[in-house]
Amino acid sequence: LSKYLGFCEQSAWYTHITYMIIHVNPIHYAVNAYAIYKLDEFLSVFCHKNSIKVQIFEYLFIITAICSTYLCCYDKPTIGLSGILFCYMGFIACLLHNKYTILYITTFIICNIIGFFVGGINYMLHTYTFIAGIIICLSFYIYKWLKQ
């Protein structure tokens, strides 16, 4: 299934969207889904405090995960929710200024080291979406600052 729905250099355009619904196994899906669920809880509290609709950021994260796929195509298909997950992590790492920031950055570094040395993980997708999450967060701060 990943051959048909995961994105790679020679895959169809729609695979840059469908890659998020395919996972290696149920554990891979469960870990990604749970992590996004917990990060979304935090995002919901943040948005409620700032009178912003949470869907704005959710849509931005999904669009970012799709657009980032065009920057990191390889010969093997990429699948999973990690593009969205790392975008959340970058956003929240920028937002927080406490011990959890270190946790998010450490997780990002460990996943990318594993992906670089072991293979089978699209570490560039993780990098692009993590950085994009930080940029989205900084854009929010700039918008908020200009609005005052």
Side-chain angles (χ1 to χ4, degrees):
L1 216 53
S2 66
K3 187 168 105 176
Y4 303 107
L5 297 177
F7 77 88
C8 61
E9 289 175 335
Q10 62 273 15
S11 64
W13 66 268
Y14 62 84
T15 60
H16 294 270
I17 299 167
T18 59
Y19 83 97
M20 292 182 267
I21 59 173
I22 302 298
H23 288 77
V24 174
N25 56 44
I27 294 170
H28 179 217
Y29 173 75
V31 169
N32 279 346
Y34 181 74
I36 288 174
Y37 170 75
K38 294 309 281 182
L39 291 169
D40 199 56
E41 282 182 350
F42 178 84
L43 182 66
S44 296
V45 170
F46 165 77
C47 288
H48 180 71
K49 285 182 182 178
N50 289 287
S51 301
I52 302 171
K53 291 188 176 196
V54 71
Q55 291 85 358
I56 292 170
F57 290 112
E58 291 170 341
Y59 293 141
L60 279 172
F61 297 159
I62 292 168
I63 291 167
T64 299
I66 292 168
C67 292
S68 296
T69 62
Y70 289 96
L71 302 173
C72 53
C73 287
Y74 298 105
D75 57 343
K76 293 183 182 173
T78 297
I79 57 173
L81 287 169
S82 61
I84 296 172
L85 178 61
F86 278 91
C87 200
Y88 266 97
M89 288 172 56
F91 182 87
I92 293 173
C94 178
L95 195 64
L96 297 177
H97 304 288
N98 59 23
K99 63 184 178 185
Y100 293 108
T101 301
I102 303 298
L103 174 69
Y104 292 129
I105 292 171
T106 304
T107 303
F108 164 72
I109 291 169
I110 290 170
C111 287
N112 279 345
I113 288 172
I114 291 169
F116 184 76
F117 289 109
V118 176
I121 296 174
N122 193 335
Y123 63 92
M124 290 308 296
L125 179 67
H126 294 173
T127 303
Y128 292 139
T129 54
F130 189 85
I131 291 169
I134 292 171
I135 292 169
I136 291 168
C137 183
L138 292 174
S139 300
F140 166 74
Y141 279 128
I142 291 168
Y143 170 77
K144 193 173 172 183
W145 178 69
L146 290 174
K147 197 174 173 185
Q148 292 178 345

